[in-house]
Every structure is written in C-alpha cells, then in structure tokens.
Amino acid sequence: QVQLRESGGGSVPAGGSLRLSCVASGHTYSGDCMGWFRQAPGEELEGIATIDRNGLTTYPEFVKGRFTISRDNAKNTLYLHIKSLKPEDTAMYYCAAGFFRRFCRFDDYETRQGTWGQGTQVTVSS
C-alpha cells in the first residue's frame, strides 16, 4: 500500500522554526516530483514547495527565504524546514507525490491525482 505520512508539526511561537517530515512507504519516490501544500481554516489549499528528481525546487514568493524543501532518497523521506514562523503560517501541512499536471511546480497541481498524506498541523502563536 502506497502511503505518505507527515510528522513534525506542533504549536510554536512566532519567530520559531520547525522541520516537517514525510515518510513514504510502499513506493520509492526518488525519481518523482514531490511537494508540500497547506490549507488554513476557511482557505483553499495552496502549494508551498516542490522538488523534482534532480533537486530543482520551486516556491511561491511569500515563503522564499523561510521555507526549504529537501529530500533524502536513501530514507525515502521528504522534509520541509520552516524558519521565522508567522501566525499566518498556521495551517494543516500536506506532502504529496504525483500531483503535477505538466511541471513540477508549486502552482501546477491536481488534488485528484497522485498520493497525498493525511497532514500535520502547524499552529503559530503571536
């Protein structure tokens, strides 16, 4: 069974840091495009980081410099390092693979395809 399982979320004060992890099982994702997404209450899902098989990354402007996506293919694990957290970063964070339509980009995804994890909650207090 193909699964993605996120961990590492929690409640942190503004300015803090977190490292989210996403462990894959049932499939080797080393050659796949993978990404992180988030959804705040009452808001739409938004892409926040992607990484392709060559390590090329994409981010929206509002997270550049604060969010870093990386992968450890030997561990079949995807990471998201977040620093300088803001209250507006509060959301459920999801990892996914096989989600893109044409390009491995944060803004080119289809939620009805690929494999998605169950999410990990990040709450940032002011």
Side-chain angles (χ1 to χ4, degrees):
Q1 183 179 2
V2 178
Q3 279 190 328
L4 296 174
R5 186 179 298 272
E6 304 93 337
S7 63
S11 296
V12 295
S17 301
L18 282 175
R19 187 184 77 164
L20 307 184
S21 300
C22 172
V23 179
S25 59
H27 179 75
T28 299
Y29 286 99
S30 60
D32 293 9
C33 168
M34 298 191 74
W36 287 96
F37 301 78
R38 72 183 185 185
Q39 187 169 25
E43 302 290 332
E44 293 187 352
L45 185 75
E46 58 183 359
I48 54 175
T50 60
I51 185 167
D52 73 3
R53 65 175 65 189
N54 297 313
L56 182 66
T57 58
T58 73
Y59 306 91
E61 283 298 322
F62 62 85
V63 304
K64 281 185 178 179
R66 296 194 302 121
F67 288 29
T68 303
I69 188 172
S70 62
R71 66 198 303 170
D72 185 334
N73 290 332
K75 296 181 178 180
N76 221 18
T77 301
L78 183 73
Y79 300 102
L80 184 69
H81 292 76
I82 314 173
K83 64 180 182 181
S84 303
L85 277 157
K86 305 175 181 180
E88 51 264 43
D89 293 321
T90 294
M92 185 70 79
Y93 285 70
Y94 302 91
C95 69
F99 53 82
F100 65 96
R101 295 192 183 103
R102 294 183 61 195
F103 304 106
C104 186
R105 284 182 51 85
F106 67 90
D107 56 358
D108 187 20
Y109 61 91
E110 173 56 67
T111 58
R112 292 173 294 181
Q113 68 184 45
T115 301
W116 295 73
Q118 293 298 305
T120 186
Q121 176 68 38
V122 173
T123 303
V124 185
S125 57
S126 57

